[in-house]
Amino acid sequence: MGIGELDREAHVPEATGAGAAPRTLAEALRARGDEGLAALLRARPDLLGPVPNDLTQLATRAGTRGSVVRALERLDRFALQTAEALAVAPDPAPYSFLLGLLTGDEGDPEIEAALPGAVALLREQALLWGEDDRLRLVRTARELLAPSAQHPSPTGLGPTVAEATAGMSPGRVQEIIATAGLTATHDPVSAVAALTGLFTDRARMGALLDEASPEALSVLDRLVWGPPYGEVTANPAPPVRWLRDRGLLLPVSARTMVLPREVALHLRGGRAHRAPEPVAPVVGTARDYRPQVVDSAAAGQAYATLATVEELLKSWDQGGPQVLRAGGMSVRDLKRTAAALDVTEQLAAFWLELCFGAGLLASDGEADERYAPTPAYDDWLDLPAAERWARLVSPWLMSTRTPGLVGGADAKGRTLAALGPDLDRAPAPEVRHRVLELLATLPPGAAADPETLFARLRWERPPRGTAQTAPQRAAAGTGAGPAAGSGYGPAGGTGAAAGTGHGPAAGGGYGAVVRGAAGSEETAAGAPDVHSDLRSRLARWTLAEAELLGLTGRGALAGPARALLNLPLAEAATPADHGGRVELSVAAGRAATLLAPLLPEAVDHVLLQADLTAVAPGPLRRPLADALAVLADVESKGGATVYRFTPGSVRRALDSGRSASDLHDFLTAHSRTPVPQPLAYLIDDVARKHGHLRIGAASAYVRCDDDTVLGEILADRRSAALGLRRLAPTVLAAQADPATLLEGLRAMGYAPAAESAEGDVLITRADAYRTPARTAPVPVPDGPPAPDATLLGAAVKAIRAGDRAATAVRKEPVAPVAAGGLPRTSAAETLATVQAAAMTGSAVWIGYVNADGAASQRVIAPVRVEGGFVTGYDHTADEVRTYPLHRITGVAELADDQV
């Protein structure tokens, strides 16, 4: 923002008459009530960092480029179209002129009804100020949205006649007005005014176009909705020359012509946009289900989610895959995880990120860093099923982690890895909330039509960086070049690929294919592609992930999800005010309460069968499920889980410290059928051999009371790699380490047991390895957090107080004060003035420099002056403060009417 802009929009005049129209943005803000200022700060929280000293500083900050870009990006489509129309209107513009740009000559009742709200929204967010007869966009917004050769406008309009002829010779301007049938003038300014008057006069403009040939009108038709630029040859065709000679096309360079804005508006019937969208698209219904069917389907998915998470983390009980040097999981490990879960790699990445976001999975932080479950996973397993579900979906709803990006590339072309550091996208929580809220606007049991849902989201937050074409060639026989992107934000990309990157600043360029003058294909704005911007992709991922998690069933929002969002459960309604929501943890508890009756009830028994299998007729209770997972292997999952007993699984149970009798008692207690004889024989047979061999650390050794068994091992060729040799009749020494020796002998068909240094059997447990305590990843904020009511009230009070101090009328101090500077008085004069003010109870204006060297001006009412300090009520801070006299630069009395 330049100095002139600051002067026009933020300068505080010496006096403003009561009821007078504001002349600056600062004056417009000063005329607002406290609620109006709070609404501005709530809509644009970046203005609060730090709290402005006064309204002048607030106005200046509201006009900075970064803040204006952020505000524009959060406008809905019609509010943005309104701002774009104002950017091509005269500055200032009356409300009637703005209405004409949006409705055109024919009018539009919907636009007429919606425009007051859009203007009020722009005014509330300090993007627009002034009365209805003098509407002004802030300078930065106009610069961002107004058309230029380097920055095409979303309206598709070009420069005005005055702008396009700025560098044209006076003689050439006179030739144009003469050819157009206008009277010659004595100066180029009046000539341009005459040409502008012709193009804005509907009757005379219609008569001029009646003289044009069909070919010339065809050239105008191709440029009228943008882009307005076209390239011509050195010897343009007659239709183009006819248009050029009459100023209907004006030269930008030797081979580029532009359609003036006034001509385009006439051809459009006065409309700035081809398709204004004053009303938000309605989310359609794809299919209706009974709410009970939706809730049942969602509950089934919720149960499947819990089973999948348990299966994933249980497989990593002894440690998961290694962490890449750059962070995240390798593609090979992701493929292995997907194969183990029998899902796609993209779906495996989602389950991994879900566990990571809930704090159930993390890296162990060791030198050879690996992934493993956290201690929170064990606490999570002890919760009831519905609460475990709530502990997963609540972090998902707030997380900025975006698993849908896994497998893509970042801005530098590097592959994005699951659990990697580059998967945070700040808009993700907002998009997830909004998608679910829009589903909640439908009747219970209604599944949304996805395309209408995405259309609504694009209307509420239009994609950034709408693609625009490069100068289109207007002459017959000329082609057109590739599209050049444009965007009003810092992330505005170039070309049709703008917005396809995965970085936080990725924009959303999109476009359709149109034909140039000679039939060439070009990209033009106007046909959105939902795959091209991050928010649309987030919306698609949200629908899929919500179905996986059981928040939706068959595409319709389930009852527990409504509770999670704190939305009405019985009747569909528009989502309530966000500010009145309860805490997410409380809402998650309500959702769990609704889900609990829908989940299958846990059982405490199995059905043993003669083929060495056990059938669990439902989800098993936690102690039984853990014990059975050690004793048997899962063979198949579904409505009833089938477990198979094998020698390896029985040996695993014996390794965990259980005896054969313990296993028999366990099966007898938890089986509704008698223990089959083959299973009893299997347990006894494995137990009889278990521990017959003992392995310890020598490097490693094998000992056995039966020396013939050791002889068999030495004679077996398969033991050669273990480097065994006999130390004693009952002891073998090995060159291999104990773990390798243990696995080698088991592979040979033996059932050895590991031994501790004291000679006891070493008991191993499946859940022995956990990471140190880890916290769940913190979401990456999308800009400054929304301020609460307390902060807003304090900020408004501080800004008001600072503004009173800055605008108070003061008596002239002894030393003159430079514009915007602090008062300067000697130490004696300062002391005398504040002492007099303390005695009379009056307020004074002081300049103050704190310990950090920051200067400010304040209005204080001194009550005590002693010991080199002045204590008084600070009107700027609205509290009693004490100031060292040596830090007061000067003091001045306030005018009588300000005291």
Side-chain angles (χ1 to χ4, degrees):
M1 178 180 291
I3 296 177
E5 169 68 357
L6 292 177
D7 181 67
R8 188 174 70 85
E9 293 192 348
H11 177 67
V12 180
E14 293 185 359
T16 302
R23 293 174 292 173
T24 65
L25 177 59
E27 286 187 20
L29 295 178
R30 193 167 289 114
R32 293 190 182 190
D34 289 350
E35 286 299 323
L37 287 181
L40 169 61
L41 298 176
R42 187 182 300 111
R44 298 174 65 178
D46 57 291
L47 301 180
L48 280 173
V51 176
N53 292 331
D54 50 44
L55 288 171
T56 300
Q57 190 176 97
L58 176 63
T60 302
R61 193 177 298 174
T64 58
R65 184 181 181 88
S67 182
V68 171
V69 165
R70 180 177 291 274
L72 290 175
E73 289 174 349
R74 282 159 174 72
L75 295 177
D76 61 58
R77 189 178 297 279
F78 185 63
L80 185 58
Q81 287 179 331
T82 302
E84 291 165 354
L86 274 171
V88 298
D91 185 29
Y95 181 88
S96 57
F97 190 91
L98 172 63
L99 179 62
L101 285 176
L102 290 168
T103 61
D105 297 340
E106 298 179 357
D108 190 320
E110 287 187 341
I111 294 178
E112 293 175 4
L115 185 57
V119 171
L121 176 63
L122 294 175
R123 186 178 277 126
E124 175 187 284
Q125 297 197 18
L127 296 171
L128 169 69
W129 59 278
E131 301 299 327
D132 283 352
D133 58 339
R134 294 179 61 84
L135 297 176
R136 292 181 182 270
L137 274 181
V138 296
R139 177 71 61 84
T140 308
R142 175 174 288 273
E143 292 173 352
L144 291 168
L145 298 176
S148 68
Q150 296 76 27
H151 185 97
S153 168
T155 62
L157 293 170
T160 63
V161 172
E163 293 168 346
T165 58
M168 190 177 296
S169 67
R172 177 60 186 142
V173 175
Q174 294 295 336
E175 290 177 4
I176 290 175
I177 66 171
T179 307
L182 299 174
T183 305
T185 64
H186 297 289
D187 61 275
V189 175
S190 58
V192 170
L195 191 60
T196 302
L198 169 63
F199 291 162
T200 54
D201 187 318
R202 293 302 176 88
R204 290 193 295 160
M205 188 64 176
L208 178 62
L209 291 176
D210 287 342
E211 301 174 5
S213 65
E215 293 79 7
L217 294 177
S218 177
V219 172
L220 294 178
D221 288 341
R222 288 194 291 270
L223 299 176
V224 64
W225 291 108
Y229 294 90
E231 291 188 12
V232 296
T233 61
N235 184 25
V240 176
R241 286 202 303 271
W242 190 92
L243 295 170
R244 182 192 61 185
D245 294 342
R246 287 155 182 80
L248 297 174
L249 290 179
L250 292 172
V252 176
S253 65
R255 299 191 60 179
T256 304
M257 308 292 289
V258 67
L259 182 69
R261 188 182 307 171
E262 293 85 353
V263 177
L265 287 174
H266 173 84
L267 296 172
R268 297 179 179 192
R271 195 185 290 269
H273 293 86
R274 189 168 199 166
E277 298 182 55
V279 179
V282 177
V283 179
T285 300
R287 189 170 178 181
D288 289 314
Y289 302 95
R290 289 187 298 110
Q292 294 82 357
V293 173
V294 170
D295 289 347
S296 297
Q301 285 298 127
Y303 175 71
T305 293
L306 299 179
T308 303
V309 169
E310 288 184 42
E311 180 183 1
L312 171 61
L313 296 182
K314 189 175 294 182
S315 67
W316 288 9
D317 269 338
Q318 295 302 316
Q322 289 186 337
V323 181
L324 294 174
R325 182 177 301 178
M329 181 190 296
S330 69
V331 175
R332 179 181 299 176
D333 289 328
L334 179 61
K335 289 181 178 179
R336 290 173 178 169
T337 303
L341 296 177
D342 193 22
V343 296
T344 64
E345 294 173 29
Q346 199 68 41
L347 198 52
F350 167 71
W351 294 122
L352 289 168
E353 289 292 340
L354 181 69
C355 297
F356 182 64
L360 308 181
L361 174 66
S363 60
D364 57 11
E366 300 294 334
D368 185 16
E369 198 170 16
R370 310 181 73 89
Y371 289 107
T374 65
Y377 170 61
D378 298 312
D379 298 334
W380 179 79
L381 286 176
D382 294 334
L383 296 174
E387 292 186 26
R388 281 186 280 140
W389 174 82
R391 292 286 182 93
L392 292 175
V393 296
S394 298
W396 169 82
L397 195 61
M398 301 301 297
S399 175
T400 55
R401 302 286 296 178
T402 311
L405 295 173
V406 172
D410 62 10
K412 297 182 179 179
R414 297 171 299 193
T415 301
L416 295 169
L419 303 179
D422 301 320
L423 295 181
D424 284 285
R425 296 296 180 269
E430 179 191 350
V431 173
R432 291 189 186 116
H433 272 98
R434 191 55 187 152
V435 167
L436 297 181
E437 287 172 344
L438 289 175
L439 292 178
T441 61
L442 300 176
D449 174 30
E451 295 308 317
T452 60
L453 177 66
F454 301 144
R456 174 62 174 267
L457 291 172
R458 290 194 302 272
W459 186 92
E460 292 181 347
R461 189 70 62 81
R464 295 185 294 175
T466 303
Q468 297 287 341
T469 63
Q472 184 181 12
R473 310 190 194 289
T478 60
S486 68
Y488 52 74
T494 59
T500 59
H502 297 288
Y510 56 82
V513 174
V514 297
R515 294 284 176 177
S520 60
E521 291 188 347
E522 292 190 356
T523 302
D529 176 4
V530 297
H531 296 286
S532 62
D533 69 283
L534 177 63
R535 295 180 65 87
S536 293
R537 286 181 291 155
L538 285 171
R540 288 187 177 274
W541 294 331
T542 297
L543 286 182
E545 293 168 4
E547 191 75 16
L548 285 172
L549 293 172
L551 291 168
T552 60
R554 302 191 179 184
L557 195 67
R562 289 179 177 270
L564 185 67
L565 297 171
N566 194 32
L567 300 176
L569 301 179
E571 300 290 335
T574 302
D577 180 17
H578 294 214
R581 284 183 170 166
V582 296
E583 291 292 333
L584 181 61
S585 58
V586 178
R590 295 176 181 175
T593 302
L594 288 177
L595 179 66
L598 303 174
L599 294 176
E601 187 174 352
V603 297
D604 60 355
H605 64 274
V606 295
L607 305 175
L608 296 177
Q609 302 185 106
D611 60 349
L612 297 181
T613 60
V615 178
L620 297 176
R621 292 183 179 176
R622 177 56 47 201
L624 175 58
D626 291 340
L628 194 59
V630 176
L631 181 57
D633 298 323
V634 176
E635 187 170 83
S636 65
K637 295 177 292 186
T641 304
V642 178
Y643 294 85
R644 178 164 294 279
F645 299 93
T646 65
S649 68
V650 174
R651 184 176 61 243
R652 186 171 63 229
L654 294 173
D655 286 344
S656 68
R658 296 208 177 194
S659 64
S661 60
D662 292 337
L663 298 182
H664 286 299
D665 293 342
F666 170 78
L667 293 175
T668 301
H670 293 94
S671 175
R672 291 290 177 89
T673 59
V675 179
Q677 194 175 51
L679 179 56
Y681 284 165
L682 174 65
I683 293 173
D684 292 339
D685 186 54
V686 174
R688 184 169 53 253
K689 299 177 182 178
H690 186 265
H692 195 54
L693 296 177
R694 300 293 182 90
I695 293 177
S699 199
Y701 65 83
V702 183
R703 70 180 181 88
C704 181
D705 295 335
D706 189 349
D707 58 351
T708 59
V709 175
L710 297 182
E712 292 176 2
I713 295 175
L714 283 173
D716 196 322
R717 293 181 178 180
R718 293 176 294 177
S719 67
L722 300 176
L724 297 172
R725 62 187 178 90
R726 191 185 293 270
L727 295 181
T730 59
V731 180
L732 297 179
Q735 296 178 0
D737 61 87
T740 302
L741 181 57
L742 189 69
E743 293 300 323
L745 292 180
R746 284 177 177 174
M748 293 167 60
Y750 297 94
E755 187 173 79
S756 68
E758 292 77 18
D760 300 323
V761 174
L762 190 63
I763 296 175
T764 59
R765 301 187 182 277
D767 57 350
Y769 189 74
R770 290 290 182 267
T771 70
R774 294 281 192 266
T775 58
V778 179
V780 176
D782 186 15
D788 56 21
T790 302
L791 176 58
L792 283 176
V796 170
K797 183 180 294 186
I799 293 172
R800 290 287 191 199
D803 198 59
R804 285 194 295 270
T807 59
V809 181
R810 309 156 185 116
K811 292 181 179 180
E812 285 297 326
V814 175
V817 181
L822 301 178
R824 298 286 180 179
T825 55
S826 66
E829 294 168 341
T830 298
L831 179 61
T833 304
V834 296
Q835 285 177 335
M839 289 186 293
T840 60
S842 58
V844 293
W845 174 50
I846 67 171
Y848 180 73
V849 179
N850 64 15
D852 296 327
S856 61
Q857 51 185 332
R858 300 175 179 277
V859 173
I860 66 172
V863 295
R864 185 172 66 255
V865 182
E866 61 183 14
F869 292 88
V870 55
T871 301
Y873 179 76
D874 188 332
H875 291 273
T876 308
D878 197 21
E879 63 182 8
V880 176
R881 287 187 175 181
T882 299
Y883 296 101
L885 281 170
H886 70 275
R887 293 193 176 276
I888 297 178
T889 65
V891 62
E893 298 178 356
L894 298 180
D896 294 338
D897 58 348
Q898 298 290 317
V899 177

